[in-house]
Amino acid sequence: MSEYRPRDLDRKWQQRWASSRAFEVDVDPSRPKFYCLEMFAYPSGHAHVGHVRNYIIGDVIARTKRMRGYNVLHPFGWDAFGLPAENAAIKGGLHPEVSTRGNIAHMKGQLQRLGISYAWERELATCDAEYYKWNQWLFVRMFEKGLAYRRRSSVNWCPSCQTVLANEQVVDGGCWRCGIPVERRDLEQWFFRITAYADELLDGTDALSRWPDKVLTMQRNWIGRSEGARVTYPLEHPPGSGVGDSASAIEVFTTRIDTIYGATFVLLAPEHPLVAGLAEQSKDPASFRRQVQAFRAQDRAARMSGEIEKQGFDTGFRAINPFTNQPVPIWVANFVLGEYGTGAVMGVPAHDQRDFEFARKFNLPIRVVITPDGRPLDADGLAEAAEAYGTLVDSGEYSGLRSAEAQPRMVAAARARGLGEATVQYRLKDWGISRQRYWGTPIPMIYCDTDGIVPVPDGQLPVVLPTVAQFTGRGDSPLAQVPEFVDVNCPTCGGPARRETDTMDTFVDSSWYFYRFADPRNDRQAFDPAVVRYWLPVDFYSGGVEHAILHLIYSRFFARVFRDLGMVDHSEPFTQLLTQGMVLKDGAVMSKSRGNVVDPDTMIQKYGADALRLYVMFVAPPEKEVEWTDAGLEGSFRFLARVWRLVDHWVDAIGGEGVARGDVYLTVNAAERTLRRKTHETIRRVTSDIEERQQLNTAVSAMMELVNELYAFSDRAVTGAPGRRAGEDVAHAGGMERRETICVVREAVEALVRMLAPFAPHTAEEMWERLGRSTGLGAAAWPACDADVARAEEIVVPVQVNGKVRSRLTVPADVSEQELERLALADSAVRTYTTGKAVKKVVVAKGRLVSLVVQ
RNA sequence: GCGGAAGUGGCGGAAUUGGCAGACGCGCUAGCCUCAGGAGCUAGUGGCCGCAAGGCCAUCGGGGUUCGAGUCCCCGCUUCCGCACCA
């Protein structure tokens, strides 16, 4: 009798996998490939069980696919650039390079102690020059294609992180990382033209059938495509001098041109370019500017608190509604967004709730021009705006048309007069990637007074991040303080020039790392297209839902950039996406500051890696949030020990390479037949739970059922009695079993050990070895389900009378509907409910149920 | 406010196509084994009534469709998530 000692097994098998390079793979066109990937990790120092859950999910998939005969690529790496390491350095700690390398070493050890089957020879870190060189190379390609460009614009600035943030990185008005409210700053920045792919990124979501709807919805909303029109409102009296001349009209964006006859004012965002000019020409420029300034200052605070009160003021100027030809007042309003559309809107109070509130507050006229249900609306009696589509009224020649008919005609009319055109507007904006920080990829650009902006020639890449000794945390780029870095000769004219000193957003690093994994040591290219063609796209990708927009939309963008560079031949990089739920402790997300982290190493020390792996898979479906409990982990440990004892009990009888002769199954008894059925049914369930349904929790419970069945069977086999007998110790089976019993049990135990391998690989490998199998649990080791065996020959069919189950019939599985009906009506328990009553209806669901209606 | 997902025993969860609600595990109870048990084995464990056989009720609440609803439809409540003046 041997004891289950997981810690010894962990060590033994982890060493063996490493020395045999068990998980390293190469391109092999003769085998189907499977690329299994978990989002790589930011090396924060310590992984807690919440992080680790994701890697276990991926590992179960990877190990299963490997056993199913796939050539499985399962790599891991480090999203190693980023602010926390640099911030720690500012606080007087270690250089980011040193702390990052140390954190990587520790976290890698944690993953290895979990027995995650990574191809570690492909490990990469984005802070390696061999990696970020290709960030720079790609940046230059994008610059050449006009996909990377520089412009001055108002950007999000995090005062705490001392850097610019992309729109995607602003959450609830605050920095995604530290939560501090962001400010607006005008800065020269590099942008990636992701909007060039807006339509494609949106349409592409339809094809992502194996992504969660939630993520697709979030991406669609983020892209925010809306179709409408730009319409020009000429100024009533174009100012005769100065700024006004070139800006003698206001262009608005609207999705509801059908309501334009109801436009009774025009609203400008405080940031609108025309505002300064109007202020200049106004009666009281100082007061005008003061009010604009108040709105702009307000914006920041308002973002945090949510709703702000609508405010505005009349500029005193008027514009001409191009459809009514009537002048309407121009107001500046705090709720009009400068960044969206044209920064100006037409105010249609009768049919837009915001305009309605604004008009009521400032006593602006309300004109009804749409009747939703044909019944006239009274402008004075409106309680809220009538936003629904309907039939146009009081709209000149368009009166009487439906909204949908009117819109294209009105756009065409505006266009004919040069006062408008149909446009599509996106919420998505170009991705600002400049960061005024040190610990990132240097942007490979040079500024020359003669030649302007010049990319670093490919031959001079990588632009290596210089070692900086002092981190001050001041608001300019640390690289600007390194003269040896900044001062450079212009690649074109050779004269003195300056390097760009900003670094790239780290989301650039993570937008293509999954390609590099296919060919991680290539020093001539970012990757060999032929190798990528074999491995990509990623078949299974899992990670946190917090990347639903950020990383996943950027990666989809990069895939298209590589495609248009001719380097990949797909558009979507991730075929299937799983967003795993978080692990909570005491009802809250684990975090160092809360002090509620569960350390995987502590758990491994106590129960072994396999118990931890199994518990995390068993506790809930992968995408659900779970609450950590130590008791649950103990339960999984008990299960593994139970399996261990089972194997221990049978090992002498079933061990060795003996192969069952096919005909032995012809003489099995009833108990043996039941066990065989359970075995094959379990294979079917576990296989589909892992591969198709990704319900890893029910895969585990199916195996638990098989173990329970094996225990019950062992009891019978031991005692020779048909039923279970309390007190019998299954550990003393002796060697007296029938040949049939041995074959059936061997079949069951072997299948069990194999199916357990993805979840509890160390325990399974050890048991497999103890069973005397010379080949390990490698390729093609997955058990096969015999559908004929899995199918029950007898089934129990419930009989309902008026919707209540009154009897159960045990019948052959292939019983006909007629026979089932006959048996049901003849059943004595059923008859007590049917005698003296009329059977009005009989419904037979073949093989499932009989339902009688009596009266 | 808009959009999405969800609501099932004491707890985590299962029910795959509209067909026996509560698989599996945790916890709890009892028996066995044991020097001992925080080990193991066996049995029980949604509620109510009943000695029992059995019956009734039960999947957030209320309606509906159906022979049959946790599952489909309508109304409402609650929770979580995302978006949040996007014109």
Side-chain angles (χ1 to χ4, degrees), chain A residues 214 226 254-255 308 310 337 340 354 642 645 704 724 808 851:
Chain A
K214 176 193 170 112
S226 66
T254 179
T255 56
I308 50 165
K310 290 182 175 47
L337 303 172
Y340 185 78
R354 296 158 301 189
R642 191 166 148 86
R645 287 192 302 275
M704 288 173 168
R724 296 170 182 176
R808 293 184 170 80
S851 181

Short mmCIF file of all heavy atoms in Angstrom, two decimals, chain A residues 214 226 254-255 308 310 337 340 354 642 645 704 724 808 851, chain B residues 12 14 19-20 23-24 26 40-41 43 67 81 85-87:
data_model
loop_
_atom_site.label_atom_id
_atom_site.label_comp_id
_atom_site.label_asym_id
_atom_site.label_seq_id
_atom_site.Cartn_x
_atom_site.Cartn_y
_atom_site.Cartn_z
N LYS A 214 -20.40 38.94 -25.36
CA LYS A 214 -20.12 40.12 -24.54
C LYS A 214 -18.94 40.92 -25.08
O LYS A 214 -18.99 42.14 -25.18
CB LYS A 214 -19.83 39.63 -23.12
CG LYS A 214 -19.42 40.69 -22.13
CD LYS A 214 -18.86 40.00 -20.88
CE LYS A 214 -18.21 41.00 -19.96
NZ LYS A 214 -18.93 41.19 -18.71
N SER A 226 -21.59 55.18 -36.67
CA SER A 226 -22.94 55.69 -36.89
C SER A 226 -22.99 56.43 -38.21
O SER A 226 -22.12 57.23 -38.54
CB SER A 226 -23.42 56.55 -35.73
OG SER A 226 -22.67 57.72 -35.62
N THR A 254 -24.98 64.98 -38.05
CA THR A 254 -26.26 64.51 -37.51
C THR A 254 -26.62 63.15 -38.09
O THR A 254 -26.29 62.86 -39.24
CB THR A 254 -27.40 65.50 -37.82
OG1 THR A 254 -28.62 64.98 -37.28
CG2 THR A 254 -27.57 65.72 -39.32
N THR A 255 -27.26 62.35 -37.26
CA THR A 255 -27.80 61.08 -37.77
C THR A 255 -29.28 61.26 -38.12
O THR A 255 -29.92 60.32 -38.57
CB THR A 255 -27.69 59.97 -36.72
OG1 THR A 255 -28.34 60.40 -35.53
CG2 THR A 255 -26.24 59.64 -36.43
N ILE A 308 -23.55 65.91 -15.61
CA ILE A 308 -23.41 67.31 -15.23
C ILE A 308 -24.58 68.10 -15.79
O ILE A 308 -25.22 67.67 -16.76
CB ILE A 308 -22.10 67.94 -15.76
CG1 ILE A 308 -21.95 67.66 -17.25
CG2 ILE A 308 -20.90 67.49 -14.97
CD1 ILE A 308 -20.92 68.53 -17.92
N LYS A 310 -26.64 70.70 -17.86
CA LYS A 310 -26.42 71.30 -19.17
C LYS A 310 -26.32 72.82 -19.01
O LYS A 310 -27.19 73.45 -18.41
CB LYS A 310 -27.57 70.94 -20.09
CG LYS A 310 -27.52 69.47 -20.47
CD LYS A 310 -28.63 69.09 -21.42
CE LYS A 310 -28.45 67.65 -21.84
NZ LYS A 310 -28.18 66.74 -20.72
N LEU A 337 -19.37 67.55 -27.40
CA LEU A 337 -18.01 67.00 -27.35
C LEU A 337 -17.17 67.54 -28.49
O LEU A 337 -17.57 67.47 -29.64
CB LEU A 337 -18.06 65.47 -27.46
CG LEU A 337 -18.90 64.76 -26.41
CD1 LEU A 337 -19.02 63.29 -26.75
CD2 LEU A 337 -18.29 64.95 -25.03
N TYR A 340 -15.77 64.56 -30.93
CA TYR A 340 -16.62 63.68 -31.73
C TYR A 340 -17.25 64.46 -32.87
O TYR A 340 -17.68 65.60 -32.68
CB TYR A 340 -17.70 63.05 -30.85
CG TYR A 340 -18.54 62.05 -31.60
CD1 TYR A 340 -18.06 60.77 -31.84
CD2 TYR A 340 -19.79 62.40 -32.09
CE1 TYR A 340 -18.82 59.86 -32.55
CE2 TYR A 340 -20.55 61.49 -32.79
CZ TYR A 340 -20.06 60.23 -33.02
OH TYR A 340 -20.81 59.33 -33.73
N ARG A 354 -31.61 65.73 -25.27
CA ARG A 354 -30.63 66.68 -24.74
C ARG A 354 -30.96 68.10 -25.19
O ARG A 354 -30.94 69.06 -24.41
CB ARG A 354 -29.23 66.30 -25.22
CG ARG A 354 -28.78 64.96 -24.68
CD ARG A 354 -27.70 64.39 -25.55
NE ARG A 354 -28.17 64.21 -26.94
CZ ARG A 354 -27.49 63.57 -27.86
NH1 ARG A 354 -26.32 63.10 -27.59
NH2 ARG A 354 -27.99 63.42 -29.07
N ARG A 642 -8.06 9.32 -3.48
CA ARG A 642 -9.02 8.23 -3.69
C ARG A 642 -8.71 7.48 -4.98
O ARG A 642 -8.78 6.25 -5.03
CB ARG A 642 -10.42 8.88 -3.73
CG ARG A 642 -11.61 7.96 -3.67
CD ARG A 642 -12.84 8.82 -3.37
NE ARG A 642 -14.05 8.30 -3.98
CZ ARG A 642 -14.83 7.38 -3.43
NH1 ARG A 642 -14.55 6.90 -2.24
NH2 ARG A 642 -15.91 6.95 -4.04
N ARG A 645 -5.58 5.38 -4.35
CA ARG A 645 -5.85 4.11 -3.65
C ARG A 645 -6.50 3.09 -4.56
O ARG A 645 -6.26 1.89 -4.46
CB ARG A 645 -6.75 4.36 -2.42
CG ARG A 645 -6.04 5.05 -1.27
CD ARG A 645 -6.88 5.01 0.01
NE ARG A 645 -8.19 5.61 -0.17
CZ ARG A 645 -8.44 6.92 -0.05
NH1 ARG A 645 -7.47 7.76 0.28
NH2 ARG A 645 -9.66 7.39 -0.23
N MET A 704 -15.26 11.94 -11.54
CA MET A 704 -15.58 11.58 -10.16
C MET A 704 -16.65 10.49 -10.12
O MET A 704 -16.59 9.56 -9.32
CB MET A 704 -16.07 12.80 -9.38
CG MET A 704 -14.95 13.79 -9.06
SD MET A 704 -15.61 15.30 -8.32
CE MET A 704 -14.06 16.06 -7.75
N ARG A 724 -23.54 -3.82 -2.47
CA ARG A 724 -22.47 -3.29 -1.66
C ARG A 724 -22.60 -3.80 -0.25
O ARG A 724 -23.68 -4.05 0.24
CB ARG A 724 -22.55 -1.76 -1.64
CG ARG A 724 -22.34 -1.19 -3.02
CD ARG A 724 -22.66 0.25 -3.07
NE ARG A 724 -22.48 0.68 -4.46
CZ ARG A 724 -22.74 1.90 -4.89
NH1 ARG A 724 -23.19 2.79 -4.07
NH2 ARG A 724 -22.55 2.21 -6.14
N ARG A 808 -42.17 4.38 -13.56
CA ARG A 808 -40.98 4.33 -14.40
C ARG A 808 -40.90 2.94 -15.03
O ARG A 808 -41.05 1.94 -14.33
CB ARG A 808 -39.73 4.60 -13.56
CG ARG A 808 -39.69 6.01 -13.04
CD ARG A 808 -38.41 6.31 -12.29
NE ARG A 808 -38.30 7.73 -12.02
CZ ARG A 808 -38.92 8.36 -11.02
NH1 ARG A 808 -39.69 7.68 -10.18
NH2 ARG A 808 -38.80 9.65 -10.85
N SER A 851 -46.14 10.59 -21.81
CA SER A 851 -47.00 11.53 -21.10
C SER A 851 -48.45 11.25 -21.45
O SER A 851 -48.82 11.24 -22.62
CB SER A 851 -46.61 12.96 -21.51
OG SER A 851 -47.40 13.90 -20.82
P G B 12 -23.51 29.71 -3.49
OP1 G B 12 -23.37 31.11 -3.88
OP2 G B 12 -24.78 28.98 -3.72
"O5'" G B 12 -22.35 28.87 -4.17
"C5'" G B 12 -21.00 29.30 -4.07
"C4'" G B 12 -20.12 28.36 -4.83
"O4'" G B 12 -20.13 27.05 -4.21
"C3'" G B 12 -20.57 28.07 -6.26
"O3'" G B 12 -20.22 29.12 -7.14
"C2'" G B 12 -19.82 26.77 -6.54
"O2'" G B 12 -18.45 27.03 -6.78
"C1'" G B 12 -19.97 26.05 -5.20
N9 G B 12 -21.16 25.19 -5.20
C8 G B 12 -22.40 25.49 -4.75
N7 G B 12 -23.27 24.52 -4.90
C5 G B 12 -22.53 23.51 -5.50
C6 G B 12 -22.92 22.20 -5.92
O6 G B 12 -24.03 21.68 -5.83
N1 G B 12 -21.86 21.50 -6.49
C2 G B 12 -20.59 22.00 -6.64
N2 G B 12 -19.71 21.18 -7.22
N3 G B 12 -20.21 23.21 -6.27
C4 G B 12 -21.22 23.90 -5.70
P A B 14 -22.62 25.11 -13.75
OP1 A B 14 -21.62 25.06 -14.83
OP2 A B 14 -23.65 26.15 -13.73
"O5'" A B 14 -23.36 23.70 -13.65
"C5'" A B 14 -22.63 22.53 -13.90
"C4'" A B 14 -23.49 21.31 -13.84
"O4'" A B 14 -24.20 21.20 -12.59
"C3'" A B 14 -24.60 21.20 -14.85
"O3'" A B 14 -24.09 20.88 -16.13
"C2'" A B 14 -25.41 20.05 -14.26
"O2'" A B 14 -24.75 18.81 -14.49
"C1'" A B 14 -25.31 20.36 -12.77
N9 A B 14 -26.52 21.00 -12.25
C8 A B 14 -26.66 22.28 -11.77
N7 A B 14 -27.87 22.54 -11.33
C5 A B 14 -28.56 21.37 -11.55
C6 A B 14 -29.89 20.98 -11.30
N6 A B 14 -30.80 21.79 -10.75
N1 A B 14 -30.26 19.72 -11.65
C2 A B 14 -29.35 18.92 -12.19
N3 A B 14 -28.08 19.16 -12.47
C4 A B 14 -27.74 20.41 -12.12
P G B 19 -35.63 19.26 -22.88
OP1 G B 19 -34.77 19.97 -21.93
OP2 G B 19 -35.05 18.62 -24.06
"O5'" G B 19 -36.43 18.15 -22.06
"C5'" G B 19 -37.05 18.50 -20.83
"C4'" G B 19 -37.71 17.29 -20.23
"O4'" G B 19 -38.93 16.99 -20.96
"C3'" G B 19 -36.87 16.02 -20.28
"O3'" G B 19 -37.20 15.26 -19.13
"C2'" G B 19 -37.37 15.33 -21.52
"O2'" G B 19 -37.20 13.94 -21.48
"C1'" G B 19 -38.85 15.67 -21.48
N9 G B 19 -39.54 15.73 -22.76
C8 G B 19 -39.00 15.93 -24.00
N7 G B 19 -39.89 15.99 -24.95
C5 G B 19 -41.11 15.83 -24.28
C6 G B 19 -42.43 15.81 -24.77
O6 G B 19 -42.81 15.96 -25.92
N1 G B 19 -43.34 15.61 -23.77
C2 G B 19 -43.04 15.45 -22.45
N2 G B 19 -44.05 15.27 -21.62
N3 G B 19 -41.81 15.47 -21.97
C4 G B 19 -40.89 15.66 -22.95
P C B 20 -36.41 15.47 -17.74
OP1 C B 20 -36.75 16.79 -17.19
OP2 C B 20 -35.01 15.06 -17.89
"O5'" C B 20 -37.16 14.35 -16.90
"C5'" C B 20 -38.52 14.51 -16.52
"C4'" C B 20 -38.71 13.93 -15.15
"O4'" C B 20 -38.39 12.52 -15.20
"C3'" C B 20 -37.79 14.54 -14.09
"O3'" C B 20 -38.47 14.56 -12.85
"C2'" C B 20 -36.64 13.54 -14.04
"O2'" C B 20 -35.96 13.53 -12.80
"C1'" C B 20 -37.39 12.23 -14.25
N1 C B 20 -36.53 11.18 -14.81
C2 C B 20 -36.36 10.01 -14.07
O2 C B 20 -36.96 9.90 -12.99
N3 C B 20 -35.56 9.05 -14.55
C4 C B 20 -34.93 9.23 -15.70
N4 C B 20 -34.15 8.25 -16.14
C5 C B 20 -35.06 10.42 -16.47
C6 C B 20 -35.86 11.37 -15.98
P A B 23 -27.80 15.70 -6.78
OP1 A B 23 -28.86 14.88 -6.15
OP2 A B 23 -26.95 16.56 -5.94
"O5'" A B 23 -26.85 14.77 -7.64
"C5'" A B 23 -27.39 13.87 -8.59
"C4'" A B 23 -26.50 13.79 -9.80
"O4'" A B 23 -26.65 15.00 -10.60
"C3'" A B 23 -25.00 13.72 -9.51
"O3'" A B 23 -24.59 12.40 -9.19
"C2'" A B 23 -24.41 14.23 -10.82
"O2'" A B 23 -24.43 13.22 -11.81
"C1'" A B 23 -25.40 15.33 -11.20
N9 A B 23 -25.00 16.64 -10.71
C8 A B 23 -25.66 17.44 -9.81
N7 A B 23 -25.05 18.58 -9.58
C5 A B 23 -23.92 18.51 -10.37
C6 A B 23 -22.86 19.41 -10.56
N6 A B 23 -22.77 20.59 -9.95
N1 A B 23 -21.89 19.06 -11.43
C2 A B 23 -21.98 17.88 -12.04
N3 A B 23 -22.93 16.93 -11.94
C4 A B 23 -23.88 17.33 -11.08
P C B 24 -23.82 12.11 -7.85
OP1 C B 24 -23.43 10.69 -7.91
OP2 C B 24 -24.61 12.62 -6.70
"O5'" C B 24 -22.53 13.01 -7.99
"C5'" C B 24 -21.50 12.67 -8.90
"C4'" C B 24 -20.46 13.77 -8.95
"O4'" C B 24 -21.04 14.97 -9.54
"C3'" C B 24 -19.98 14.26 -7.59
"O3'" C B 24 -19.00 13.41 -7.01
"C2'" C B 24 -19.42 15.63 -7.94
"O2'" C B 24 -18.21 15.53 -8.64
"C1'" C B 24 -20.50 16.11 -8.91
N1 C B 24 -21.58 16.83 -8.20
C2 C B 24 -21.40 18.18 -7.88
O2 C B 24 -20.34 18.73 -8.19
N3 C B 24 -22.38 18.84 -7.21
C4 C B 24 -23.50 18.19 -6.89
N4 C B 24 -24.44 18.89 -6.23
C5 C B 24 -23.72 16.82 -7.20
C6 C B 24 -22.75 16.18 -7.85
P C B 26 -16.21 16.33 -1.05
OP1 C B 26 -14.89 15.92 -0.54
OP2 C B 26 -17.41 15.48 -0.79
"O5'" C B 26 -16.55 17.80 -0.53
"C5'" C B 26 -15.55 18.80 -0.54
"C4'" C B 26 -16.14 20.10 -0.02
"O4'" C B 26 -17.27 20.49 -0.83
"C3'" C B 26 -16.71 20.04 1.38
"O3'" C B 26 -15.70 20.10 2.37
"C2'" C B 26 -17.60 21.28 1.38
"O2'" C B 26 -16.85 22.46 1.49
"C1'" C B 26 -18.20 21.20 -0.03
N1 C B 26 -19.50 20.52 -0.03
C2 C B 26 -20.61 21.22 0.47
O2 C B 26 -20.46 22.38 0.90
N3 C B 26 -21.83 20.63 0.50
C4 C B 26 -21.96 19.38 0.05
N4 C B 26 -23.18 18.84 0.10
C5 C B 26 -20.85 18.64 -0.48
C6 C B 26 -19.65 19.25 -0.49
P G B 40 -10.47 10.94 4.09
OP1 G B 40 -10.24 11.44 2.74
OP2 G B 40 -11.61 11.41 4.89
"O5'" G B 40 -10.55 9.35 4.06
"C5'" G B 40 -9.65 8.61 3.27
"C4'" G B 40 -9.92 7.14 3.45
"O4'" G B 40 -9.82 6.80 4.85
"C3'" G B 40 -11.32 6.68 3.06
"O3'" G B 40 -11.42 6.46 1.67
"C2'" G B 40 -11.47 5.41 3.87
"O2'" G B 40 -10.75 4.35 3.28
"C1'" G B 40 -10.77 5.81 5.18
N9 G B 40 -11.70 6.35 6.17
C8 G B 40 -11.80 7.66 6.59
N7 G B 40 -12.72 7.84 7.50
C5 G B 40 -13.25 6.58 7.70
C6 G B 40 -14.27 6.13 8.59
O6 G B 40 -14.94 6.79 9.39
N1 G B 40 -14.51 4.76 8.48
C2 G B 40 -13.84 3.92 7.62
N2 G B 40 -14.20 2.65 7.65
N3 G B 40 -12.87 4.32 6.80
C4 G B 40 -12.63 5.64 6.90
P C B 41 -12.78 6.70 0.91
OP1 C B 41 -12.48 6.59 -0.53
OP2 C B 41 -13.43 7.92 1.42
"O5'" C B 41 -13.67 5.47 1.35
"C5'" C B 41 -13.33 4.17 0.93
"C4'" C B 41 -14.23 3.17 1.60
"O4'" C B 41 -14.04 3.25 3.04
"C3'" C B 41 -15.72 3.41 1.41
"O3'" C B 41 -16.19 2.92 0.17
"C2'" C B 41 -16.30 2.67 2.61
"O2'" C B 41 -16.28 1.27 2.38
"C1'" C B 41 -15.28 3.00 3.69
N1 C B 41 -15.65 4.19 4.48
C2 C B 41 -16.61 4.06 5.49
O2 C B 41 -17.13 2.95 5.68
N3 C B 41 -16.95 5.13 6.24
C4 C B 41 -16.37 6.31 6.01
N4 C B 41 -16.74 7.33 6.77
C5 C B 41 -15.40 6.49 4.98
C6 C B 41 -15.07 5.41 4.25
P A B 43 -23.05 3.44 -0.62
OP1 A B 43 -23.77 2.69 -1.68
OP2 A B 43 -22.16 4.55 -0.98
"O5'" A B 43 -24.12 3.99 0.43
"C5'" A B 43 -25.20 3.17 0.85
"C4'" A B 43 -25.92 3.79 2.02
"O4'" A B 43 -24.97 4.06 3.08
"C3'" A B 43 -26.55 5.15 1.76
"O3'" A B 43 -27.77 5.06 1.05
"C2'" A B 43 -26.73 5.66 3.19
"O2'" A B 43 -27.81 5.01 3.83
"C1'" A B 43 -25.43 5.18 3.83
N9 A B 43 -24.40 6.23 3.80
C8 A B 43 -23.33 6.37 2.94
N7 A B 43 -22.60 7.44 3.18
C5 A B 43 -23.25 8.05 4.26
C6 A B 43 -22.98 9.22 5.00
N6 A B 43 -21.97 10.02 4.75
N1 A B 43 -23.83 9.53 6.00
C2 A B 43 -24.86 8.72 6.25
N3 A B 43 -25.21 7.59 5.63
C4 A B 43 -24.36 7.31 4.65
P C B 67 -51.27 20.87 -25.67
OP1 C B 67 -51.65 20.00 -26.80
OP2 C B 67 -52.21 21.88 -25.13
"O5'" C B 67 -50.84 19.94 -24.45
"C5'" C B 67 -51.82 19.26 -23.67
"C4'" C B 67 -51.16 18.30 -22.74
"O4'" C B 67 -50.56 17.22 -23.51
"C3'" C B 67 -49.99 18.86 -21.94
"O3'" C B 67 -50.43 19.54 -20.79
"C2'" C B 67 -49.19 17.61 -21.62
"O2'" C B 67 -49.78 16.88 -20.55
"C1'" C B 67 -49.36 16.80 -22.90
N1 C B 67 -48.25 17.02 -23.87
C2 C B 67 -47.00 16.44 -23.61
O2 C B 67 -46.85 15.79 -22.55
N3 C B 67 -46.00 16.61 -24.48
C4 C B 67 -46.20 17.32 -25.59
N4 C B 67 -45.17 17.46 -26.43
C5 C B 67 -47.44 17.92 -25.89
C6 C B 67 -48.44 17.75 -25.01
P C B 81 -19.68 44.94 -10.87
OP1 C B 81 -18.34 45.13 -10.31
OP2 C B 81 -20.73 45.95 -10.66
"O5'" C B 81 -19.53 44.70 -12.43
"C5'" C B 81 -18.63 43.74 -12.95
"C4'" C B 81 -18.83 43.59 -14.43
"O4'" C B 81 -20.18 43.14 -14.70
"C3'" C B 81 -18.74 44.87 -15.24
"O3'" C B 81 -17.41 45.31 -15.44
"C2'" C B 81 -19.45 44.47 -16.52
"O2'" C B 81 -18.66 43.61 -17.31
"C1'" C B 81 -20.63 43.67 -15.95
N1 C B 81 -21.82 44.53 -15.73
C2 C B 81 -22.63 44.82 -16.84
O2 C B 81 -22.31 44.36 -17.94
N3 C B 81 -23.73 45.60 -16.69
C4 C B 81 -24.03 46.08 -15.48
N4 C B 81 -25.12 46.84 -15.38
C5 C B 81 -23.23 45.82 -14.33
C6 C B 81 -22.14 45.04 -14.50
P C B 85 -21.09 60.84 -21.62
OP1 C B 85 -19.65 61.10 -21.55
OP2 C B 85 -21.96 61.13 -20.48
"O5'" C B 85 -21.70 61.45 -22.98
"C5'" C B 85 -22.68 60.68 -23.64
"C4'" C B 85 -23.97 61.50 -23.74
"O4'" C B 85 -24.14 62.30 -22.57
"C3'" C B 85 -23.94 62.42 -24.93
"O3'" C B 85 -25.14 62.28 -25.64
"C2'" C B 85 -23.86 63.80 -24.30
"O2'" C B 85 -24.55 64.77 -25.04
"C1'" C B 85 -24.57 63.58 -22.95
N1 C B 85 -24.16 64.54 -21.93
C2 C B 85 -25.13 65.39 -21.40
O2 C B 85 -26.29 65.30 -21.82
N3 C B 85 -24.77 66.28 -20.45
C4 C B 85 -23.51 66.33 -20.02
N4 C B 85 -23.20 67.21 -19.10
C5 C B 85 -22.50 65.46 -20.56
C6 C B 85 -22.86 64.59 -21.51
P C B 86 -25.35 60.94 -26.51
OP1 C B 86 -26.55 61.22 -27.29
OP2 C B 86 -25.23 59.72 -25.70
"O5'" C B 86 -24.11 60.93 -27.52
"C5'" C B 86 -24.08 61.77 -28.65
"C4'" C B 86 -23.17 61.19 -29.71
"O4'" C B 86 -21.81 61.30 -29.26
"C3'" C B 86 -23.39 59.70 -29.98
"O3'" C B 86 -23.19 59.49 -31.36
"C2'" C B 86 -22.28 59.01 -29.19
"O2'" C B 86 -21.84 57.80 -29.76
"C1'" C B 86 -21.17 60.05 -29.26
N1 C B 86 -20.26 60.03 -28.10
C2 C B 86 -18.90 59.74 -28.30
O2 C B 86 -18.51 59.50 -29.44
N3 C B 86 -18.06 59.72 -27.23
C4 C B 86 -18.54 59.98 -26.02
N4 C B 86 -17.68 59.97 -25.00
C5 C B 86 -19.91 60.27 -25.79
C6 C B 86 -20.73 60.28 -26.86
P A B 87 -24.40 59.03 -32.20
OP1 A B 87 -25.12 57.92 -31.58
OP2 A B 87 -23.75 58.89 -33.50
"O5'" A B 87 -25.40 60.25 -32.25
"C5'" A B 87 -25.31 61.15 -33.29
"C4'" A B 87 -26.15 62.36 -32.99
"O4'" A B 87 -25.82 62.85 -31.69
"C3'" A B 87 -25.88 63.52 -33.94
"O3'" A B 87 -26.66 63.41 -35.11
"C2'" A B 87 -26.22 64.73 -33.09
"O2'" A B 87 -27.62 64.94 -33.09
"C1'" A B 87 -25.78 64.27 -31.71
N9 A B 87 -24.41 64.70 -31.39
C8 A B 87 -23.29 64.65 -32.16
N7 A B 87 -22.21 65.10 -31.59
C5 A B 87 -22.66 65.47 -30.33
C6 A B 87 -22.01 66.02 -29.24
N6 A B 87 -20.72 66.32 -29.21
N1 A B 87 -22.73 66.27 -28.14
C2 A B 87 -24.03 65.98 -28.15
N3 A B 87 -24.77 65.45 -29.13
C4 A B 87 -24.01 65.22 -30.20
#
